[in-house]
Amino acid sequence: GNIGIKEILTAYLASQYGISFEMALLASLIDRAIMFLFLFPIGTYFYWTIILNKSIRKNFLEAYEAFNSNKI
């Protein structure tokens, strides 16, 4: 499953403050879902724009320099 130490620990600590374990666990799982729904697409976007663009740009520049060095 997708439940981890953070969710259990959050639910346990919240129960120490008088919040029911089930309610705190639900809140923690909702927090995880929101983070996943927003961070996964944003992370994917930045991966494509930053990491892959640098790789593509580097390969293009290397090919361009190799092509130009053969012309001389």
Side-chain angles (χ1 to χ4, degrees), residues 1-10 23-41:
N2 205 13
I3 188 167
I5 295 172
K6 176 188 173 277
E7 287 77 20
I8 298 295
L9 186 62
T10 302
M23 190 64 69
L25 185 60
L26 179 63
S28 187
L29 290 173
I30 290 171
D31 175 58
R32 178 181 282 268
I34 289 171
M35 294 294 282
F36 181 76
L37 290 174
F38 284 106
L39 291 181
F40 185 72

Side-chain angles (χ1 to χ4, degrees), residues 40-59:
F40 185 72
I42 291 170
T44 303
Y45 169 76
F46 281 110
Y47 171 75
W48 280 98
T49 57
I50 294 173
I51 303 298
L52 291 182
N53 254 349
K54 282 185 181 179
S55 174
I56 291 169
R57 203 174 296 136
K58 179 183 170 191
N59 290 338

